Amino acid sequence: MIEFHGVWKTYPDGTVALQSVNVLIERNEFVFIVGPSGAGKSTFMKLIYREEVPTKGQISVNGFNLGKLKPRKIPYLRRNIGVIFQDFRLLPKLTAYENVAFAMEVVEAPRRLIKKRTMEALELVGLKNKANSLPSQLSGGEQQRVAIARAIVNNPAVIVADEPTGNLDPETSWEIMKLLEEINYRGTTIVMATHNSAIVNAMRKRVIAIDKGVIVRDEPRGEYGYEI
Amino acid sequence: MIEFHGVWKTYPDGTVALQSVNVLIERNEFVFIVGPSGAGKSTFMKLIYREEVPTKGQISVNGFNLGKLKPRKIPYLRRNIGVIFQDFRLLPKLTAYENVAFAMEVVEAPRRLIKKRTMEALELVGLKNKANSLPSQLSGGEQQRVAIARAIVNNPAVIVADEPTGNLDPETSWEIMKLLEEINYRGTTIVMATHNSAIVNAMRKRVIAIDKGVIVRDEPRGEYGYEI
Amino acid sequence: MRFSTFSRHIREGTKSIIRNGWMSFASISSIAVSLFILGVFMLLTLNVNRFADQVESQAQIRVFLELDTPEEKIAGIERQIKLIPEVKSVVFVSKHDALERLRETLGENADVLDGYEAENNPLPDGFDVDVFEPRQISIAAEKIKALNDTDPDRSIMRVRYGEETVKQLFRITNGIRNIGLVIVLGLAVTAMFLISTSIRMTIYARRREIAIMKLVGATNGFIRWPFFVEGALTGLIGSLITAAGLLAGYAQVIRSTRLDLGLMMFDLVPLEEAFWPVGGTIVGLGTLIGIFGSILSVRKYLRV
Amino acid sequence: MRFSTFSRHIREGTKSIIRNGWMSFASISSIAVSLFILGVFMLLTLNVNRFADQVESQAQIRVFLELDTPEEKIAGIERQIKLIPEVKSVVFVSKHDALERLRETLGENADVLDGYEAENNPLPDGFDVDVFEPRQISIAAEKIKALNDTDPDRSIMRVRYGEETVKQLFRITNGIRNIGLVIVLGLAVTAMFLISTSIRMTIYARRREIAIMKLVGATNGFIRWPFFVEGALTGLIGSLITAAGLLAGYAQVIRSTRLDLGLMMFDLVPLEEAFWPVGGTIVGLGTLIGIFGSILSVRKYLRV
Ligand SMILES: Nc1ncnc2c1ncn2[C@@H]1O[C@H](COP(=O)(O)OP(=O)(O)OP(=O)(O)O)[C@@H](O)[C@H]1O
Ligand SMILES: Nc1ncnc2c1ncn2[C@@H]1O[C@H](COP(=O)(O)OP(=O)(O)OP(=O)(O)O)[C@@H](O)[C@H]1O
Ligand SMILES: [Mg+2]
Ligand SMILES: [Mg+2]
């Protein structure tokens, strides 16, 4: 499903964000990415949906070979990937409903389906009653849930979630985790970066630990932590 | 230092974010604000630095009576308050250094002092080596630390921190908390909203719990939780 | 493109104009201002052209006959001139008429002619000859002169058609036309620049939105479309306002100057004649400029 | 304001122009375009005014005396005319000169004067009178006529100064001046609109920055200053470019048309004379417009 083969990432300013990363994530896996701030977690995720390109090495995602992917084809790669961004990236002028529906309009889904699935997704994250609020009228956690709804609405093959519970209280966080687990059971691969040790330790999924750009640990039913 | 007296906040769209809040925070206290997502924590903080005005009730901060404060005087109120925003609010076109220095330039501090204190603040949050990076070149946690440096650089009487460890790994979070504790010892009042139960439970400071806009608990050496 | 997608682009483009508020207003206004200036110059050019044509069409050939040419001879020459294909009309001007005319020309100085009356009139008989096409006036004049070649009496004394005056007039009207063209072109380019600038600004203000669209899997074509719609609509609205205002104003000008200019023997291009060329050009150009501006800007932005 | 703060505002304003890249470029270009059109019309107006003055200053009073006025009398009248304060110069035109002139005026029709020679010249003696100030020409003419009142012979037969021609000329030159003024004003307003729009857009693009400045305790004055600097600098740069380009172009025009126009007895306003009025107006107006645009926009924004 997702394969990193000898991947290096050096940013133009010289920062080495990832070094010699080899990872194979199978279809339907649930993977936590952990590591200290600045370790390279977000970089790892950005490489998956091709917001960044590797300096060296091969990446393939859901059958797309990213090294050979023509720019014209990038949209079709991304339609298989639902992304929850660390900084939400909601459109400030669109309501919660419109922000979610947006992701479906963009892939030219039929209108009736858009309406149905958008409301379903908002309901799943518990924001049906805030559908018509603008992001500036939502609390931090509510914005994060809108971002989650947007990521799942298209039923993607992979969900890439960067710190999806960073702004949520423990209860809501658990609800979101249950939601992601449910989605995972239904066949979606999930890659999630997090600092929340309680969640990682309780869920006992595969944990990939990154420190200073290097994968220091990769355990099938791991715990939170990034010491070698 | 900070006094809320019968404060209500209803947003123009009808959302009641705070109801009949009475709180007295003394100089030099360290207060955690806890509560579920959408409880009204951010609203409470916004009222302190007058980003929002209460629908009803009295608020006074550091000697300023916010109800009677002329718009012209708002900047002078805010110079006493260092704010760490839930969504960072860094300027994308300024480097980390410039983002922090900005807060001092704006209050017309002398140039030499700006240079000195900005570097000190960046060192405190562990970002001296990223001083010349733009926010887009920083990881989520690094951006959050820049926001913290900006809040403390002016040596404010109060620091209002909204989820300052939301995007940080546990280690960095603890470093930040130690930093805030240190600043608190030196005489700064600290009001911090958080979802991090580990931190709240370990630090044993005053905890104010809000749920659905109502203060449900206010304990001197409290624990995380917001059940009545 | 499926119909629902197409209608989404239209909807989005329209919504975005409304949502952008004063930013759209600014774009529309600058389109309107530019096209208005353009329109004014178009109307000016139309009217100058019309005026030039009228002046040109008044250019005449004057034929003077030898003194004492007999009347039958005169009638014969008149017939021969009428046979020349370029000639539109021939009017006989007797020497009596000619004296009256000279008096008029001299105006206050006419007293020098006192004493000249019918019996001692020193002026010759002649014709005023109009041609169909002012530019053929010199050809016609040459042909009239050539009539002498087949006439043993060589009755035509002189043929004059103010060579210099006519040539100068052509030079002036051509000059006005060219200056008009240059100004109109310059303004069209200016307008295009302003519009593409304001659309670029619109796109700049929406760079977040574009980035997010790309990240959730929108194709470039899909991203571009609403901007085209927005550009085209902005151009269309701006130019419709301009065209309506300009033509209404022009109708007013026509109404209020009918008498004044009528006295000067000149009438403005009527509204019906100006409506399509001016209104059509403004609306078409505005829309094209809007589309073109957005193409340029979107291309440039999506490449980044 | 402390000096370091002041220099910060200058620095920030300048940096922001550079950082904004093409957005500043767009503002500067639209200022330049507008001011350029303005400048062209200013130069046109200056030259039309100069031309009108030249034409006006050629307006003359022509005085005709009764036939057979004796020479001493003529000399006396000449002296009297010279005493009129508005009169600049008096030239005696004998009836012989007058006949020659009439011949010239008639041109190809001059043959009607054949037979009139020195001995039977029907024309009167007279004077050509120049005045200092063309607008006083009718006053001077009245005063000359009034000389008859004290002259028992009433030797002055007629005083003519082409009342109609002069009045019409005044009407035309006034018309050109007014049209020029209207166009210049219209363009100035357009330019101001464009600039304030682009500064508003700049501010719009920086609304986050402004919001954060407010939240960290900046006073409104402090927030405004860099925008004023930016507006003023944008205006200044745009207008300096325009002024330099325009005046260099004008110098070129003067050089290349010196001969052509010289033959027409008309010379363009020299560069030295146009430099300060045009260059100064453009630069001053550009800067003022920039400042004014930012004041308007910043006010509006900070109120929100
Ligand atoms: N665009 C960029 N240009 C230069 N350096 C960058 C850029 N993006 C990230 N970096 C650097 O690369 C390193 C890894 O960043 P990354 O965002 O992957 O960290 P992270 O593990 O997601 O951290 P966090 O938990 O704080 O979000 C950091 O040192 C960061 O400063
Ligand atoms: N500008 C606004 N207009 C309307 N409603 C708003 C606005 N800002 C916040 N709200 C609503 O007020 C309630 C309280 O919001 P607040 O941001 O204070 O929550 P919070 O406790 O900070 O939540 P979180 O932990 O998710 O950040 C929420 O229901 C939110 O939707
Ligand atoms: Mg990250
Ligand atoms: Mg909040």
Side-chain angles (χ1 to χ4, degrees), chain C residues 26 33 106 108 160 190 197 201, chain D residues 26 33 106 108 160 197 201:
Chain C
V33 167
L106 290 175
E108 299 184 43
R160 273 176 39 207
T190 309
T197 295
M201 287 183 171
Chain D
V33 168
L106 291 176
E108 300 184 42
R160 272 176 40 207
T197 295
M201 287 185 171

Side-chain angles (χ1 to χ4, degrees), chain C residues 107-121:
Chain C
E108 299 184 43
N109 290 317
D111 16 9
V112 300
L113 295 177
D114 289 353
Y116 282 120
E117 290 310 330
E119 54 284 358
N120 61 348
N121 185 344

Side-chain angles (χ1 to χ4, degrees), chain C residues 185-205:
Chain C
L185 272 181
L187 282 167
V189 169
T190 309
M192 188 168 321
F193 175 78
L194 289 173
I195 291 157
S196 96
T197 295
S198 57
I199 284 176
R200 243 185 284 169
M201 287 183 171
T202 312
I203 289 175
Y204 178 79

Side-chain angles (χ1 to χ4, degrees), chain A:
Chain A
M1 186 71 188
I2 300 175
E3 193 175 348
F4 277 57
H5 191 80
V7 170
W8 289 68
K9 175 64 190 179
T10 309
Y11 282 106
D13 68 351
T15 312
V16 181
L18 286 181
Q19 303 180 39
S20 175
V21 169
N22 290 293
V23 167
L24 177 65
I25 296 173
E26 299 289 356
R27 185 169 300 277
N28 212 8
E29 270 197 282
F30 194 128
V31 183
F32 285 117
I33 311 288
V34 302
S37 173
K41 302 183 295 299
S42 296
T43 303
F44 181 83
M45 331 269 287
K46 283 176 187 166
L47 288 170
I48 295 175
Y49 55 87
R50 211 184 176 283
E51 187 171 338
E52 296 287 351
V53 284
T55 320
K56 226 166 89 182
Q58 301 290 320
I59 301 174
S60 90
V61 175
N62 203 22
F64 290 85
N65 180 336
L66 299 205
K68 288 186 184 155
L69 197 65
K70 286 192 198 114
R72 250 182 337 104
K73 295 290 180 197
I74 295 174
Y76 303 98
L77 163 72
R78 289 186 179 154
R79 288 173 189 201
N80 298 293
I81 309 174
V83 185
I84 302 167
F85 303 97
Q86 197 167 2
D87 51 357
F88 316 160
R89 305 215 192 159
L90 300 176
L91 291 173
K93 286 183 179 172
L94 300 188
T95 65
Y97 176 89
E98 290 168 333
N99 262 292
V100 177
F102 186 68
M104 292 193 77
E105 279 171 7
V106 147
V107 299
E108 306 188 28
R111 277 236 230 164
R112 216 163 302 170
L113 191 65
I114 293 180
K115 203 160 191 172
K116 187 168 150 285
R117 292 199 42 80
T118 301
M119 286 317 292
E120 280 172 12
L122 283 175
E123 193 161 13
L124 269 176
V125 298
L127 279 182
K128 212 175 171 179
N129 60 329
K130 294 273 178 187
N132 293 320
S133 300
L134 294 174
S136 62
Q137 299 172 332
L138 294 173
S139 79
E142 287 162 346
Q143 290 180 43
Q144 197 152 44
R145 283 182 275 162
V146 175
I148 293 169
R150 182 180 62 190
I152 63 176
V153 76
N154 270 331
N155 237 330
V158 190
I159 286 182
V160 173
D162 200 350
E163 206 83 51
T165 61
N167 285 293
L168 294 178
D169 59 279
E171 266 168 50
T172 317
S173 299
W174 275 114
E175 277 163 33
I176 295 296
M177 290 317 298
K178 270 179 234 143
L179 183 63
L180 289 177
E181 208 167 13
E182 165 94 21
I183 295 167
N184 177 239
Y185 280 138
R186 291 200 207 145
T188 304
T189 311
I190 293 186
V191 182
M192 166 172 160
T194 186
H195 291 303
N196 194 319
S197 56
I199 286 177
V200 176
N201 293 340
M203 286 190 54
R204 288 309 190 127
K205 302 286 185 185
R206 178 174 171 189
V207 175
I208 296 176
I210 304 182
D211 194 5
K212 300 199 185 75
V214 179
I215 295 194
V216 293
R217 201 157 50 83
D218 185 350
E219 292 177 357
R221 290 174 54 81
E223 295 207 341
Y224 187 83
Y226 36 84
E227 304 76 35
I228 303 181

